[in-house]
Amino acid sequence: MKRRTFLLAGLGTGGALFLGWALLPPRQRLVGGTRPDTGGTAVALNGWLTIAPDDTITVVVSKAEMGQGTHTALAMLLAEELECDWARVRVEYSPIDKIYGNVSALVEGLPFAPEADGTLVRGIRWMMAKTARELGVMMTGGSSSVRDCWMPMREAGASARASLIAAAAATWGVAASTCRAEQGTVISADGRRLRFGELAALAVSHRPSEITLKAAAAFTVVGTPMPRLDSAAKSNGTATYGIDVSLPNMLYAAVVMSPFGATTAPSVTAAQMTQSRAMPGVRAVVSLPGSHYGDPPALAVVAESWWQAHKAARALATATAAGASAVSTVTVLQDIRSTLRNDDGLPLRFYGGAKKVLAAATRMVDATYEAPYLAHATMEPMNATVRVSNDGAELWTGTQVPGYARAAVAHVLGLDEDNVTVHQHILGGGFGRRLDVDYIAQAAAIAKTVPNVPVQLIWSREDDMQHDFYRPATVSRLRAALDADGRVTAFVAHSAGQAPFKAYSKRVGFLLTQSGPDRTSSEGTWDQPYAFPALHTSHSETDSAIPVGSWRSVGHSHQAFFVESFIDELAAAAKQDPAAYRAALLQSHPRALRVLQLAAAKSGWGAPLEPTADGRPRARGMALHAAFGSIVAEVAEVSVARDGRIRVHRVVAAIDCGLAVNPNIIAQQIESGIIDGLSVALNGELVIEDGAPRQSNFYEYRLLRIDECPVIETHIVPSLDVPSGVGEPGLPPIAPAVANALFTLTGTRLRALPLRMPSEAAS
C-alpha cells in the first residue's frame, strides 16, 4: 500500500488525472451529441432508434451497407431487445457523432494472438477501447460491424423498451414490473394495450436508470433467417447508390488523372484545351493539383451530362506528366524478393527459439510463395456529388468512413467540418476501397470551381481500375523443422511487402497507425490456431510508388495462401492425411478443431470422388484459417481440363463466427468470399508497366463467371459467443484449398497466385 501511495504521489496532477481517467469505464454509447433525424413526427428515444406515431421503428445505423447485410443484422439486434414488430422496422444512416465510432476494430487490431490473455493484455485492450471511444472514428471494415454494435444496439433496444413500459405504466397508474412489451405494444397485467407509436412521446421523460438484456435462450429474432431489409429495393431498382443521386440543376464531371508519382496534371496543348471546351455540353475544364488524400494531379471536365464530360475528358490526349514513375511490377517484385533474402524483418511473434531449432534440424521443409497486386474492382466505380454554397457544403456519396469523408471536403474547401453535411448512400461494393476518400476530395475540388451547383464526379471503369489503392504484392518464405515422425518442431515464416494500413493512415491522417509495425501486412501467420513447439514470424516492410491500401481480408488474403499451402506441404512430407495432420496441430484449440472436423465430415473427406462428365479425375483440397475473430475451413473439389483450365466443382465451408445473428446472411457472405477468392485464385493479377496498370476493365481483369461458380455449402458451428466477423473470413481459405487439391490431383505444387497449371501437369 505504501509503495502504491508513493507511486500515485509521484505521478503529479497530470499523471493522477490520467490514471483516474484510465480506471473509469469507457464513455457511454447510447446518447450522442447529434440527434438522429426524426422525420418530423418521430421521436428519438436514444441515438440508435426513433419511433413514429404510426409505429414505424427506424433503426439508426452507423455502418456502411455494401452488400454484406449489416443493416439487417444490426436492426435485428435492436429489434430483439425492443420487442417490436419486425414488419415495422426500417433503417437509416446515423449522423456523424462519436458514439458511433468503431471501438471493436481498434481493439481487435492490437497485435495480440487471438488466445492472448492476462492482466497486461486485458489492460491494454481496456485502454484501447477507451481511446477508441474518445476518438470516435466511424468506420466500416475489419468485419467488425456486428461485433462493434453487439452491445450498443441491444442496449439501445432494451433502454427504449424500458422507457415505453414505464410510460405505459404511468398512464395506467400501475407498476412497470406488471407490464411487458410484445410485438410493438405494451401490455398490462389485465390485458390493456398501448402501441409504441402512442407511447413514444411520453417515453422520452421515462429514461431508465438501469436496463436488463435478454438471455440468448430468450431470443426470438436473433438467430433466425430474417429476410434482408434491402432485398426488395435492390431487386426492383429503387435502392439509391451514390452513383444514382440526382439533384436539380446537377452537373457532371469526368477526370483524366496523372500516373503514379506525377507532380503535375496531364499536359495538353492549347488547341486540345480549346477543342475540349467547345464540345457539346461542356461548362468548364479544371486543372486539379491533387491532395494528400491520394488523388493525383488531374484535369476535370464539367458538363451537362456525364457522357459529355467523359467524351470531352478523353479528347484531352495525355502526355507523360512531370515526375511520373516508370515503376513496374517486375522490378517491384525483384525488390521484394531481394528484401526477403537480405533483411530479417521485424519479429511479430516468436517463442521456443525457433530459428535455433531450425538451424540444428536434420530434416526441413523450405518453400517460397508469392501473391500479386490486386485491384478492388467494385461494381460501382468511385463517385461523389458535392454542392458548395456560400456558407458550407453538402456531400452525397457511399463511404466506409463518413467522418473522414466530411473532413476531406472541409479541408479542400477551407471550411469547418460542422459546415459540411454528409448524405450517406449504400455502396455498390467497398472491400476496403471506400475507406479512402481521394475521390471525395477530388469531387470537392471540382465543385469549388462551380459554386451553388451540385456536381457529380463519376470515375469510369478504367479510372477506377488504374487509380486504385491496390492489395500489395507479397512474397513469403516458410520453413519448418520436422522430427522423424513428421511432427513440426519449429515453424518460421518471413514475408516482405508494402504496409497497406500504414499507407492508408498517412493519407487520412490517422495518427495511431501512421508509424510502427503494420500488423495487416502479415496477419494470417502469427495469429493462427496451430500449436507449434517453436514459432518465429516476421515481416519486412518495403516501399514502392505503387499506391496500396486495405483489400478484402487484407493480409489474410495472401498469408492464408502461404501458410495453408505450406501446412499441406508439411503433411505431404510427413506422408500423412492433410486433415489428420491439421487436427494433430489443433488439439489445444478445440474451437478450430470443431470447424475442421465439420468441414471434413460434410465434404465427405476421404471418400472417393467420381470423375467429371468428360472423364477427368477430381480431387479434394482443404484449408483452415482464423481471421477477424472467426474460424473457417473449406474443402474444394477440383479438376483440370486437358488445356490446363482449373475447374472448381464444389466447395464445402464450415464457420464458427460466434452467435449466428442471421444464418442466411452468414451463408451469403461465405459464398461471396469464396466467389471473390476464386476470382483471385484463378485470375487475379494487376500488372503494372511503365508506371501504369496494364488492365483497365473486366475483360482484362477477369472475375469469376457465373458458369464457373461451384456449388457452395455453408455449415455454421453452433455458438453462444459474441458474434465475430463474417464479411471477410470466407475469402482467405479458398485459394489454398484449391492449390492443395491441385497438388493431390497432379503432384504439382503451385506456390504463386494466380494458380496456373503447367502444360505437362495438366495433360
Side-chain angles (χ1 to χ4, degrees), residues 81 150-151 154-159 161 211-215 219:
E81 297 289 351
W150 168 249
M151 290 305 293
R154 294 179 63 205
E155 289 172 351
S159 173
R161 168 169 44 89
I211 57 176
T212 301
L213 299 179
K214 294 169 69 174
F219 287 167

Side-chain angles (χ1 to χ4, degrees), residues 29 33 65 116 139 161 276 305 326 340 507 524 600 609 638 655 723:
R29 297 179 68 185
E65 177 59 75
M139 185 270 286
R161 168 169 44 89
S276 180
S305 74
L340 188 73
R507 289 193 294 270
L609 277 169
V638 177
I655 179 172

